[in-house]
Amino acid sequence: MSKKVRLGIIGLGQQGGLYAKLITEGKVPNMVIGAICDTDPAKKELAASQYPDAPFHEDYIAMLESGDVDAVVTCVPHFLHPEMGIETLKRNIHALVEKPAGVYTKQVKELNEFAASKPELSFAIMFNQRNNPLYQKLKEIVDNGEIGAIRRTNWIITNWWRPQGYYNSSEWRATWGGEGGGVLVNQAPHQLDLWQWICGVPKSVYSKVAYGFRRDIAVEDEVTAVVDYGNGATGVFVTATHDLVGTDRFEILGDQGKIVVENSKTATVTRLHKPERELSESLDMGDVLKLFMGQMDTAEFYTTEVLEFESAWGAQHAGVLENFAANILDGTPLLAPGSDGIKGVRLANAIHLSSWTGTEVALDFDEDVFLAELNKRIVDEGKFPERA
């Protein structure tokens, strides 16, 4: 193989166009465009004008069998990601799957199992936020035990405002059969991934979800989910697409510190000198009064650090592409292994299933039960076939 990976881009839409642009601008130095594939005739003209040296294919199987590509990225509707990933790996071509890895865990599990049978191939997922230096630092802090054991997490991520015109732009948008859901599968997968990547996978979830709450759509546009990590630790995740001003605030409370993230740009990290219970037991009422009246120096109890990182737009995506190519070329560890994609899908599925059944749902829920419930909604729409 050459020193540059020849990437096939399946789908020259918003994401596929971004990746093509990053590559042609030299922001992914170990990668070139090997070929482009799209079923839309208009995209053929676009590709011919902007990427004249890249072969164009109307069928992705034909592209996979052309010899033009070493790897592909799947920039297509969510339901197609697992199928395309499997077909790619089947032909001994490396696969980078766009998020989410799929719509339901049963299909993503098939992709993961097939990828595991091809360990010599690179299999990754486009979780570009894992390439955000701020979240990488937070994961390091939590993993190192710097704020102790997690006791509570909260993420309010409502800056996904989408007007009705956005949903009206395509027939497949905001449908069960076309997208497989709303904000949980379209806008919020990155936060669902980061939440469990940094804080751990919860044991169960209970949710209250509104469908077509403030938009004329069938799928969810308002979500509140409460998760249980075990040992008394809990978490809350709130997301919506109808908050015009929006909020992005992520808190992690540990028994020896706290992290507060604002707008995914700054993080205030508080580290207690001792576990909170020890500090609690060491104070008498006199100390408590002094503390509440501001007469004690808080430096006796904790230190505070504010973290802020510059992250240029597009740099995170380019970094994942470069890392994927490096894994192919020299075995550099992947930032986001493809097998991790199922975790966020499982969490989204559990949130949906909890709202549909009105019960608390374990993260090891019955996948067939979820798929049956999803298919009920697809059938009711009458636009798309049931899923197997």
Side-chain angles (χ1 to χ4, degrees):
M1 187 182 295
S2 66
K3 291 185 179 179
K4 291 193 177 185
V5 171
R6 299 173 301 158
L7 183 71
I9 299 173
I10 307 177
L12 193 61
Q14 182 178 348
Q15 288 305 115
L18 169 63
Y19 303 151
K21 186 172 185 287
L22 291 172
I23 293 169
T24 54
E25 289 178 350
K27 293 179 180 176
V28 190
N30 53 0
M31 186 174 276
V32 295
I33 300 176
I36 293 171
C37 175
D38 203 296
T39 57
D40 183 353
K43 297 298 171 62
K44 184 175 184 178
E45 295 179 17
L46 177 67
S49 64
Q50 295 190 0
Y51 313 105
D53 297 330
F56 187 90
H57 299 270
E58 296 175 0
D59 177 76
Y60 86 96
I61 296 294
M63 185 184 76
L64 292 175
E65 296 179 347
S66 67
D68 294 331
V69 301
D70 305 309
V72 301
V73 60
T74 61
C75 306
V76 293
H78 312 142
F79 278 110
L80 297 175
H81 292 169
E83 170 193 320
M84 288 187 170
I86 290 172
E87 293 297 331
T88 297
L89 296 168
K90 193 181 290 183
R91 290 163 175 80
N92 295 316
I93 294 171
H94 308 281
L96 172 59
V97 177
E98 198 28 276
K99 62 80 184 170
V103 172
Y104 51 100
T105 54
K106 194 172 182 179
Q107 62 166 184
V108 180
K109 185 178 289 184
E110 290 176 8
L111 170 60
N112 283 358
E113 289 174 352
F114 190 82
S117 74
K118 296 275 192 174
E120 72 279 8
L121 296 175
S122 297
F123 171 47
I125 186 166
M126 181 53 83
F127 282 146
N128 57 283
Q129 283 298 304
R130 289 195 184 189
N131 199 33
N132 185 325
L134 177 65
Y135 288 116
Q136 288 183 336
K137 181 62 177 177
L138 298 190
K139 179 170 174 58
E140 178 185 310
I141 289 170
V142 172
D143 287 353
N144 289 343
E146 294 178 40
I147 63 166
I150 290 178
R151 294 296 176 234
R152 188 183 68 248
T153 71
N154 301 279
W155 202 332
I156 301 176
I157 177 71
T158 60
N159 56 357
W160 294 124
W161 186 74
R162 295 292 185 273
Q164 187 64 41
Y166 166 83
Y167 294 112
N168 295 344
S169 65
S170 294
E171 185 182 8
W172 58 269
R173 279 199 187 281
T175 59
W176 293 112
E179 277 197 288
V183 63
L184 288 174
V185 301
N186 192 323
Q187 288 82 28
H190 285 300
Q191 284 71 41
L192 289 177
D193 174 64
L194 290 173
W195 193 28
Q196 59 81 28
W197 186 54
I198 295 170
C199 303
V201 177
K203 296 184 180 301
S204 64
V205 61
Y206 179 77
S207 67
K208 296 293 285 186
V209 179
Y211 300 91
F213 177 50
R214 306 300 298 166
R215 297 290 180 266
D216 183 18
I217 56 177
V219 296
E220 77 281 356
D221 55 351
E222 169 79 32
V223 175
T224 300
V226 179
V227 301
D228 183 350
Y229 295 104
N231 299 319
T234 59
V236 177
F237 188 83
V238 177
T239 191
T241 60
H242 56 82
D243 183 346
L244 183 59
V245 293
T247 298
D248 179 4
R249 183 179 174 91
F250 181 26
E251 296 187 9
I252 308 171
L253 176 67
D255 61 7
Q256 199 162 338
K258 185 176 184 178
I259 298 171
V260 178
V261 186
E262 292 283 4
N263 299 315
S264 295
K265 292 181 178 178
T266 61
T268 302
V269 182
T270 301
R271 297 174 177 87
L272 305 186
H273 299 320
K274 296 179 181 178
E276 183 274 335
R277 287 288 292 270
E278 288 186 26
L279 291 173
S280 168
E281 292 167 358
S282 69
L283 300 177
D284 59 26
M285 272 308 297
D287 294 326
V288 172
L289 287 173
K290 289 179 183 178
L291 182 63
F292 287 171
M293 295 173 68
Q295 296 173 356
M296 292 185 75
D297 185 359
T298 56
E300 294 182 38
F301 305 107
Y302 58 81
T303 60
T304 300
E305 176 186 17
V306 177
L307 303 174
E308 188 165 7
F309 294 89
E310 288 296 325
S311 187
W313 188 88
Q316 295 164 10
H317 292 89
V320 173
L321 291 170
E322 185 175 359
N323 169 256
F324 175 55
N327 181 259
I328 294 169
L329 296 170
D330 61 29
T332 297
L334 289 169
L335 289 169
S339 57
D340 282 4
I342 197 169
K343 296 177 182 177
V345 175
R346 182 177 287 120
L347 189 49
N349 285 179
I351 292 171
H352 274 139
L353 189 57
S354 174
S355 78
W356 294 339
T357 61
T359 62
E360 185 171 359
V361 170
L363 266 287
D364 61 351
F365 58 84
D366 187 323
E367 295 174 330
D368 290 324
V369 170
F370 174 83
L371 184 55
E373 290 292 333
L374 175 62
N375 275 326
K376 285 180 188 177
R377 287 152 181 82
I378 293 174
V379 169
D380 286 345
E381 283 179 333
K383 295 179 181 180
F384 303 92
E386 292 181 62
R387 301 291 168 169

